[in-house]
């Protein structure tokens, strides 16, 4: 995937298509994230931010990726900052997939570790509503998982069970 994304970037660059180059750079970034190369991933994110339009999905994805890099290196404040920017921009431009991902990221990687379970539940409930309303069923498992965990931690076993039953309905066998 890294090789193909790099080829896509080269092709986009030769066509002077900054939008497609930004998309390819985000794919390269995500591959580096999955490989644990956070320094390289951050460099690519900054390239995207320099190329992408101010109100573009590519900018949102770069902000989300920067948040992931920060989270993977235990920098919750930076994770929060980039992810909140991504959430705000995705809401503004109507990029629902990123909005759901960003809200869920805030819930599970910022609020839960900080013990802010009610806030995590509220944010993931919003992510779940948006995913269900916009036909993004494949994104519902994340909020349902975090919500069930937050309920369990707060000794709300009936609510945890309800969320787990919902989760069972959307998970593939």
């Amino acid at each position: 995937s890294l090789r193909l994304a790099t080829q896509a970037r080269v092709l986009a660059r030769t066509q002077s298509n900054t939008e497609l180059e930004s998309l390819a750079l985000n794919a390269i970034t995500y591959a580096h994230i999955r490989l644990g190369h956070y320094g390289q991933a951050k460099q690519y994110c900054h390239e995207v931010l320099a190329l992408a339009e101010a109100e573009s999905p590519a900018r949102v994805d770069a902000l989300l990726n920067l948040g992931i890099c920060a989270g993977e290196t235990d920098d919750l404040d930076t994770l929060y900052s980039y992810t909140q920017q991504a959430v705000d921009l995705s809401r503004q431009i109507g990029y629902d997939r990123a909005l759901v991902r960003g809200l869920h990221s805030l819930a599970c990687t910022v609020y839960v570790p900080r013990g802010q379970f009610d806030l995590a539940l509220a944010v993931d409930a919003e992510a779940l509503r948006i995913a269900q309303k916009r036909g993004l069923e494949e994104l519902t498992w994340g909020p349902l998982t975090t919500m069930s965990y937050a309920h369990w931690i707060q000794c709300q076993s009936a609510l945890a069970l309800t969320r787990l039953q919902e989760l069972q309905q959307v998970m593939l066998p």
Side-chain angles (χ1 to χ4, degrees):
S1 64
L2 189 54
R3 183 179 53 79
L4 292 175
T6 301
Q7 288 175 351
R9 180 192 186 187
V10 169
L11 180 60
R13 187 178 263 177
T14 61
Q15 296 175 353
S16 299
N17 188 327
T18 56
E19 182 181 347
L20 289 179
E21 185 177 357
S22 296
L23 293 172
L25 280 168
N26 275 324
I28 292 168
T29 298
Y30 197 71
H32 280 289
I33 288 170
R34 300 303 279 174
L35 292 168
H37 304 156
Y38 306 117
Q40 286 177 289
K42 288 193 292 190
Q43 288 175 341
Y44 286 115
C45 287
H46 290 294
E47 286 186 50
V48 173
L49 294 178
L51 278 175
E53 296 290 324
E55 296 182 354
S56 66
R59 177 172 292 278
V60 173
D61 289 337
L63 291 168
L64 285 173
N65 285 333
L66 282 167
I68 291 168
C69 289
E72 292 294 334
T73 56
D74 299 323
D75 186 352
L76 289 185
D77 292 334
T78 302
L79 163 62
Y80 174 80
S81 177
Y82 282 126
T83 305
Q84 188 61 58
Q85 288 176 57
V87 164
D88 292 342
L89 182 55
S90 62
R91 195 183 305 274
Q92 179 181 331
I93 65 174
Y95 186 15
D96 293 329
R97 176 173 293 282
L99 178 56
V100 170
R101 288 181 54 225
L103 289 169
H104 173 61
S105 181
L106 287 173
C108 72
T109 63
V110 176
Y111 301 135
V112 167
R114 289 181 174 166
Q116 297 172 303
F117 300 115
D118 290 336
L119 188 53
L121 286 165
V123 170
D124 254 344
E126 181 183 2
L128 181 62
R129 272 193 309 278
I130 293 166
Q132 290 170 332
K133 186 177 180 181
R134 302 291 197 276
L136 301 169
E137 293 295 320
E138 71 279 8
L139 298 179
T140 60
W141 69 270
L144 288 169
T145 301
T146 301
M147 293 169 77
S148 64
Y149 176 74
H151 285 306
W152 182 257
I153 291 295
Q154 295 185 100
C155 298
Q156 300 168 338
S157 56
L159 291 171
L161 181 59
T162 298
R163 291 302 183 185
L164 288 171
Q165 288 168 339
E166 291 175 60
L167 179 62
Q168 189 175 24
Q169 299 302 310
V170 299
M171 293 302 297
L172 296 173

